[in-house]
Amino acid sequence: MLSGRRLDLLDPSPFDIEIEDIAHGLARVARWNGQTIGEHAFSVAQHSLVVEEIAAHIRPGLEPKWRLAALLHDASEYVIGDMISPFKSALGAGYKDFEARLEAAIHVRFQLPPKTPQTIKTLIKKADRACAFYEATQLAGFNKRESLQIFGAPPAGYELIIDPLPASVAQQRYLDRYRVLAEAVGILPGADAWHTE
């Protein structure tokens, strides 16, 4: 990693995970494999910011730690990239186990439970699908009917106009949001996230 950390992909350690590496990587991973309109790809970092926002819209008063979980919901993609769901399914249980180990290490690093509670997982998935609806219709060439069939309707009262950001801007916004949530959760922002305030 650019931080100098060496991450063992088969046995990832929370000690080798840094938010700066996550933000840098996710800002450079394109959603939809880059098959979107516009000058810039819609990055996983920007997608994650939107998903966190939608999750809080769906459940007002959502605890900061679960908002942080929403922000980090695709954090493993800083290492493994963004694979479309049908391809993940085709790879089978081995890939899912690998992804789960990496996700657990990321969660432990940022003082979240290794496994997200099912109610929160369901909420994040709902927010993720809502974001995908907007991405599909605004960036990836889907019509509204197709998107509704595949992703379902976005939550009532939430509107989004997507403007894909340059990688450097998406990276900084991701880091900024992480720091706000980390402070709210009670972990120090930045590299020293192991100690409580």
Side-chain angles (χ1 to χ4, degrees), residues 27-196:
R28 287 155 180 81
V29 174
R31 295 272 295 166
W32 304 89
N33 291 327
Q35 297 300 307
T36 52
I37 61 169
E39 183 180 350
H40 303 287
F42 187 65
S43 70
V44 174
Q46 189 175 357
H47 163 83
S48 298
L49 288 163
V50 175
V51 169
E52 185 251 327
E53 182 181 278
I54 295 173
H57 172 82
I58 295 170
R59 189 175 296 175
L62 184 63
E63 286 181 67
K65 73 176 178 180
W66 302 132
R67 292 186 74 152
L68 180 58
L71 183 72
L72 294 169
H73 81 282
D74 279 339
S76 62
E77 294 179 8
Y78 90 104
V79 175
I80 56 179
D82 183 23
M83 275 194 236
I84 57 173
S85 296
F87 190 55
K88 284 183 185 179
S89 297
L91 291 174
Y95 176 82
K96 288 181 181 168
D97 290 344
F98 171 80
E99 190 178 38
R101 280 195 306 274
L102 185 53
E103 186 176 282
I106 290 166
H107 280 204
V108 170
R109 173 65 172 101
F110 300 109
Q111 298 184 15
L112 294 168
K115 283 190 80 168
T116 305
Q118 191 56 51
T119 54
I120 300 300
K121 207 170 194 157
T122 300
L123 171 66
I124 292 170
K125 190 66 186 168
K126 189 173 182 181
D128 190 44
R129 290 175 66 81
C131 189
F133 169 87
Y134 290 112
E135 293 167 30
T137 53
Q138 294 179 33
L139 303 176
F142 287 59
N143 65 43
K144 189 173 179 182
R145 189 177 57 77
E146 287 174 309
S147 291
L148 285 169
Q149 285 177 335
I150 297 168
F151 304 110
Y158 184 85
E159 289 296 326
L160 175 67
I161 304 296
I162 298 177
D163 182 18
L165 300 170
S168 61
V169 176
Q171 178 178 340
Q172 190 57 56
R173 287 192 186 172
Y174 189 93
L175 281 172
D176 291 345
R177 189 64 189 146
Y178 163 76
R179 289 185 179 115
V180 167
L181 292 172
E183 283 191 67
V185 169
I187 57 176
L188 294 176
D192 193 17
W194 286 105
H195 305 290
T196 56

